[in-house]
Amino acid sequence: MPAPVIQARAGFTDAYRSAIGDAFIASRDHVDELTITVKRDALVEACRVARDKFGYQQLMEIAGVDYPERPERFEVNYHLLSVTENHRIRIKVTTDEDTPVPSVTSLWPVAGWLEREVFDLYGVGFAGNADLRRILTDYGFEGYPLRKDFPQTGYVELRYSEAEKRVVYEPVQLPQDFRNFDFLMPWEGPEYRLPGDEKTVGQAPGAPSPAPAPSAPPKAEAKKPAAKKKAPAKPRAKKS
């Protein structure tokens, strides 16, 4: 069954571009998904126009993307849904590690948590968010795990200490045996020998077997059951 198709809104891009004026940077319609890039400082007004004038009532998601080779390495994408028009758009801004993005919590209160997710995973700041704390990673987590330059192993690892009865943080050491691969199969000549490998060593014709066959254990003789003792007969009572 094919996926539902979202019909394009005829003339929407031009009308929206005229409505936001100089805030418009570019637009792209790819695989039936419309992305509009706007200036970072004009983000709140661009979202307000999309909500109030074009009927995009719901903020569905805020997603970050990292391109380390760019001067403004982060893209912040706002996914909007119009329930009345059955249409979705994506409004995008770019920023760097030091410049915060204006918060849209004044338009959609749910943006508070969504902005915290982007901050937690990418380190993007949001000016105007009154509760910009980590939300997905643990307390004291170092770094931002969805940045492209973040090591896949992380910086610290945690474990439960029986001695201290709490979770402790330690530098990553990767002590797992599963990380020491020899890339050899048992039949490709590893240094160890498995049980049964001696059978693969060739023997000269008529050579004695390296391991003599075990002799059969002696058969145990079946014991005859002991004869039952007869109980002594009871004396009969004499008749008077």
Side-chain angles (χ1 to χ4, degrees), residues 140-142 150-151 153-158 168-173:
F141 189 88
E142 298 180 11
F150 185 83
T153 57
Y155 297 108
V156 296
E157 59 185 1
L158 57 91
V168 297
Y169 291 83
E170 298 173 338
V172 175
Q173 297 180 357

Side-chain angles (χ1 to χ4, degrees), residues 105-120:
T105 51
S106 60
L107 302 177
W108 296 286
V110 70
W113 280 27
L114 302 178
E115 291 172 354
R116 286 176 61 184
E117 291 180 358
V118 178
F119 166 73
D120 192 359

Side-chain angles (χ1 to χ4, degrees), residues 34-89:
L34 177 61
T35 302
I36 300 174
T37 305
V38 300
K39 294 181 180 179
R40 180 176 57 249
D41 296 338
L43 170 66
V44 177
E45 183 60 24
C47 289
R48 189 191 311 277
V49 171
R51 185 192 67 176
D52 297 344
K53 292 187 178 182
F54 293 92
Y56 290 90
Q57 304 94 345
Q58 295 187 10
L59 172 64
M60 305 303 296
E61 179 64 280
I62 301 178
V65 187
D66 183 20
Y67 296 95
E69 68 279 2
R70 299 180 182 177
E72 292 188 340
R73 61 184 292 182
F74 301 113
E75 290 184 355
V76 184
N77 298 274
Y78 297 77
H79 297 256
L80 307 183
L81 168 65
S82 173
V83 179
T84 54
E85 299 291 340
N86 187 29
H87 192 256
R88 297 172 184 263
I89 62 172

Side-chain angles (χ1 to χ4, degrees), residues 24 98 130 189:
F24 183 90
D98 302 321

Side-chain angles (χ1 to χ4, degrees), residues 160-176:
Y160 181 77
S161 172
E162 279 290 344
E164 302 183 30
K165 301 299 181 182
R166 66 181 183 88
V167 175
V168 297
Y169 291 83
E170 298 173 338
V172 175
Q173 297 180 357
L174 303 180
Q176 298 94 329

